[in-house]
Amino acid sequence: MMYYLFNENIVRASDALVPVTDLALLRGYGIFDFFRLIGHKPLFIDDHVDRFFRSASKLRLQCPLSGPELISSIMEMLQRNRIKDSGVRLVLTGGPSPNGYSIGQPTLFAINEPITPLPESHFSEGIKIITCEYLRDIPEVKTINYLMGIYKMPEIQAADALDVLFHWKGMISELTRSNFYIVNQEGAIVTPATGILEGITRKKVLGLAADFFTVDARPLHLDEVYAAKEAFITGTTKKVMPVVNINGHLIGNGKPGTTTRKLQFLFQEYIEDFLGGH
Ligand SMILES: Cc1ncc(COP(=O)(O)O)c(C=O)c1O
């Protein structure tokens, strides 16, 4: 039996029930965060909980638990479930709305779910993606709105791609669930600085990259992407994943490049050090 956090309590999964009048269901108003466990150890939980509270405050949602209370409730849920290599999804919704539009008393829940590992070939050989002209609403907030990404799934699958890269009039932002980077012909790592969710993986990877490479967080146009030596994405489950084909254009020689491979190695080492210290 699985246990979830629901408002202030740990309950059986089947008892975690959000009212149908919740603003998340009626209007898509809510925020979330997601982190993974390696073995039984949560990875970067403090960063994820901080971002969860930042997202909540941007959308004027009051969490019923404080940060330390939330972390200790999550740990209790994990203790009860004891599933290895799982993920934790924290959600805070607009709550049951008195009139179907104004914010109610937010509903908090946390789900502990198994994670299916991504195929190793995605990391070793790279992935193919397509593009779409779209900018997420309030992109700096991790909202529950993944409408465009899910809507685009049939097109993504028809192109034998893994995901969709968003741009607005050619200016790149991010993918549905990951941040985006190129390595340009000068060897610099370039990544968009605005119109994005600041990923926790992005923060860690850029920190590691700064010791070895020039890092440029600035506006990035699709033309520059096609001319890049390498491209890659980062995210909680995707870690550092090479991108070798965009809309049918090969990036560089169509194989993961040395900079991407170095970052994969540095990030893996960083995770192992982090877990060793926790
Ligand atoms: C829109 C968006 N951008 C970027 C990311 C990557 O963030 P993180 O590295 O914290 O997983 C996510 C994560 O799900 C996301 O939803």
Side-chain angles (χ1 to χ4, degrees), residues 33 35 44-55 66-68 70-71 74 90 200:
D33 219 286
F35 61 89
F44 312 141
I45 185 172
D46 293 336
D47 298 275
H48 287 278
V49 167
D50 281 354
R51 185 173 64 185
F52 181 75
F53 276 92
R54 281 201 306 277
S55 294
S66 68
L70 179 57
I71 291 179
I74 294 167
L90 297 173
I200 305 302

Side-chain angles (χ1 to χ4, degrees), residues 48 51 136 142 146 174-179 197 199-202 234-236:
H48 287 278
R51 185 173 64 185
R136 288 175 49 247
K142 198 162 165 68
Y146 283 71
E174 60 192 337
L175 289 88
T176 59
R177 291 153 294 167
S178 36
N179 292 115
L197 177 79
I200 305 302
T201 323
R202 179 181 185 273
T234 65
T236 295

